[in-house]
Amino acid sequence: DGFPRNRVQADLLSRWDTSVSFAIQFDVPDDVCTTKLLGRRQCSNCGGNFNVARVDRDGFVMPPMVPVEDCCPSPNWKKRDDDTSETIQIRMNVYHQETRPVLEFWSEQDKLLRFVPHRGIEDMDRLEKLVTTRLE
């Protein structure tokens, strides 16, 4: 998710009176994204969003993100209707088709920061350091 999501939006953004320091690409293999997307759950009781999928391959280590024991004693987890392998593959294809030109756009301007979150959310401290360094 983000803006711009396609080349037309990137061109439009470049015409606005704005200054973009850089864009961040979260570089994660499709199979890792698919595994995590298929593991998304929402608790009908507490409204919390969780992920039951574990990824431990190709340098990626992302444990499930489930509620702490006393958060929701009897979770009632629901899966999104559109979180199916088929729908995710279609969304991935659209993402690659529309995003490739945007990544090229920012890369040509030397404004693309590729970030590989091998540990998922646990790597956000590393991303913060990279962003801070890039802004200095």
Side-chain angles (χ1 to χ4, degrees):
D1 288 342
F3 177 83
R5 292 179 78 134
N6 58 48
R7 183 61 190 245
V8 171
Q9 291 176 354
D11 289 335
L12 177 63
L13 180 63
S14 70
R15 286 186 263 139
W16 290 347
D17 187 21
T18 61
S19 175
V20 175
S21 299
F22 56 91
I24 301 171
Q25 175 195 7
F26 287 85
D27 195 358
V28 181
D30 288 358
D31 64 314
V32 172
C33 290
T34 299
T35 297
K36 293 305 277 186
L37 287 168
L38 288 172
R40 293 195 294 190
R41 300 291 187 275
Q42 183 175 38
C43 179
S44 298
N45 297 335
C46 70
N49 291 301
F50 306 102
N51 198 298
V52 297
R54 173 182 303 281
V55 173
D56 190 356
R57 63 179 175 274
D58 302 322
F60 287 87
V61 179
M62 300 175 185
M65 296 182 68
V66 294
V68 292
E69 204 170 294
D70 60 346
C71 169
C72 196
S74 57
N76 181 17
W77 290 352
K78 301 286 185 192
K79 184 176 178 176
R80 285 176 39 163
D81 292 339
D82 63 340
D83 276 351
T84 65
S85 295
E86 298 79 21
T87 302
I88 291 169
Q89 185 60 54
I90 291 169
R91 292 189 332 232
M92 291 290 210
N93 291 342
V94 169
Y95 167 80
H96 289 299
Q97 180 181 2
E98 292 190 359
T99 304
R100 187 176 299 113
V102 176
L103 297 176
E104 291 170 0
F105 175 85
W106 294 118
S107 185
E108 289 166 1
Q109 297 181 42
D110 197 29
K111 290 186 175 186
L112 182 63
L113 174 61
R114 285 192 165 97
F115 180 70
V116 182
H118 287 103
R119 299 178 310 134
I121 197 165
E122 297 297 321
D123 272 341
M124 293 306 103
D125 57 336
R126 191 167 56 89
L127 175 60
E128 181 181 8
K129 289 176 185 171
L130 289 170
V131 168
T132 302
T133 300
R134 181 93 182 231
L135 289 173
E136 291 175 347

